[in-house]
Amino acid sequence: PTNKLTLRPAAGATGLSVSCPTAGVPTFNFNGCTYVTIDGRPGGTGGAISVPNTTYLQIINTTSTGVAAQFVNDAQNNTIKFCDLQGQNTTLATNASSTMSGVVYYSTSTGANGNDNDSISGCNIHATSGGNPAMGIVSYGTITTNNTYNDNCVITGNNIYDIFNAGGATAFINLDQGNSSWTISGNSLFQTASRIYTTAATQRGFWITPNTASLSPQASGFVITGNFIGGTAPSAGGTPYTIPTTTPVATVFLGMDISTGLGTASSIQNNTIKNIVFTATSTAAPNFAGISIANGHQNIGTTTGNTIGSVTATGSIVINQ
């Protein structure tokens, strides 16, 4: 803690990028690292990242099996902030796989304590110019003991967009087994183009299901607040997030798919899901849900509420079947 390392562009050095073209290899690999920060702002100063970004540091992986950043083997207290993270990993979400996936990947651990207290903040997380990733941020932890879970990580203030795979289920943020007490706040999840699925699939914003094997009390205590899902720009702005009629049957859209443990109740507050047009003909039931809860202890909208659609304007969410 007293010998922290920060990597950042020099003042005035804009347009920089770090890229990895090797399959299955992370561009940055936080392997057992502690107290390392990557700050994408030149000179370490500046405001929020723009969409698109050409000023702050780009971290890119141009393979279908690699990621821009990986946290693994007790990587703790590390931070990536104000960077433009790009990937095109096409590994599909199975909710039961430890295969490297997403643009950012929190992995398992050979240590005793898991990948804890790591944060991604103020970043753009999205597709490369060469293709879309099937996932945005993925975490698949070790469940050997309660301590080996990936705990207390923070995903805040990011723009996560253009996460898409036409042939299967996708998710902007997927927390699978071995995760507990994450904070996910102030993020914007959106698509900059209409998305057509070629096979029946489920598109999820948040896929928070760390208790798929059991109702573990450890897989609990998430804070999901102040996020936006929808639109083609940050804060669910721009034109609608669109899944058109050309998509096949049994297609599902879930803004949030939450299934946690029976420990500390997760708090889901002040989130906004709007500016969505879902006209795909679907035989799935349900085929659309703003927030879907399967099990676990949750406090949903008990403090500040969540907004799905609009109480004042028509057409905030359009579903034509």
Side-chain angles (χ1 to χ4, degrees):
T2 58
N3 293 283
K4 299 177 181 179
L5 172 66
T6 298
L7 308 176
R8 60 165 174 78
T14 62
L16 298 182
S17 67
V18 180
S19 182
C20 177
T22 305
V25 175
T27 306
F28 274 92
N29 192 16
F30 292 83
N31 189 343
C33 295
T34 59
Y35 297 98
V36 175
T37 295
I38 300 178
D39 184 346
R41 299 171 299 173
T45 62
I49 196 167
S50 61
V51 177
N53 171 260
T54 57
T55 303
Y56 294 170
L57 176 66
Q58 295 180 331
I59 301 174
I60 305 170
N61 195 288
T62 56
T63 76
S64 62
T65 55
V67 295
Q70 175 179 244
F71 299 88
V72 63
N73 296 330
D74 283 14
Q76 298 179 1
N77 300 290
N78 302 293
T79 298
I80 301 176
K81 61 182 180 180
F82 300 109
C83 290
D84 189 87
L85 301 164
Q86 301 179 31
Q88 58 188 57
N89 191 315
T90 57
T91 301
L92 295 178
T94 63
N95 202 238
S97 173
S98 58
T99 304
M100 185 184 297
S101 58
V103 180
V104 177
Y105 183 58
Y106 291 77
S107 187
T108 54
S109 183
T110 57
N113 296 301
N115 305 299
D116 300 338
N117 306 304
D118 299 308
S119 69
I120 308 290
S121 64
C123 294
N124 287 341
I125 301 169
H126 63 104
T128 69
S129 59
N132 298 90
M135 313 285 282
I137 297 174
V138 178
S139 182
Y140 186 96
T142 300
I143 58 174
T144 305
T145 69
N146 286 346
N147 288 338
T148 60
Y149 277 59
N150 296 337
D151 299 323
N152 302 308
C153 294
V154 175
I155 308 298
T156 186
N158 302 288
N159 298 310
I160 308 174
Y161 58 98
D162 292 345
I163 308 302
F164 172 69
N165 189 303
T170 58
F172 287 75
I173 296 178
N174 177 21
L175 306 186
D176 203 303
Q177 72 164 42
N179 295 283
S180 195
S181 302
W182 287 49
T183 296
I184 302 172
S185 65
N187 302 286
S188 291
L189 283 55
F190 57 94
Q191 299 280 9
T192 62
S194 177
R195 301 302 180 192
I196 299 174
Y197 290 88
T198 56
T199 61
T202 299
Q203 168 75 77
R204 295 171 172 90
F206 297 151
W207 196 3
I208 315 297
T209 54
N211 70 322
T212 51
S214 67
L215 290 175
S216 166
Q218 178 68 5
S220 305
F222 297 90
V223 176
I224 303 172
T225 182
N227 300 285
F228 290 87
I229 301 173
T232 55
S235 302
T239 55
Y241 180 131
T242 302
I243 302 176
T245 54
T246 47
T247 289
V249 298
T251 301
V252 180
F253 179 94
L254 302 177
M256 299 184 190
D257 185 356
I258 312 293
S259 177
T260 65
L262 296 177
T264 302
S266 295
S267 180
I268 304 171
Q269 313 287 333
N270 196 34
N271 300 286
T272 300
I273 302 169
K274 66 176 185 178
N275 201 13
I276 298 167
V277 173
F278 179 69
T279 58
T281 301
S282 179
T283 58
N287 52 42
F288 182 99
I291 301 175
S292 175
I293 306 295
N295 50 45
H297 287 167
Q298 329 287 344
N299 289 329
I300 305 174
T302 54
T303 304
T304 55
N306 298 284
T307 300
I308 301 174
S310 173
V311 297
T312 59
T314 59
S316 180
I317 296 177
V318 176
I319 304 172
N320 292 331
Q321 296 295 320

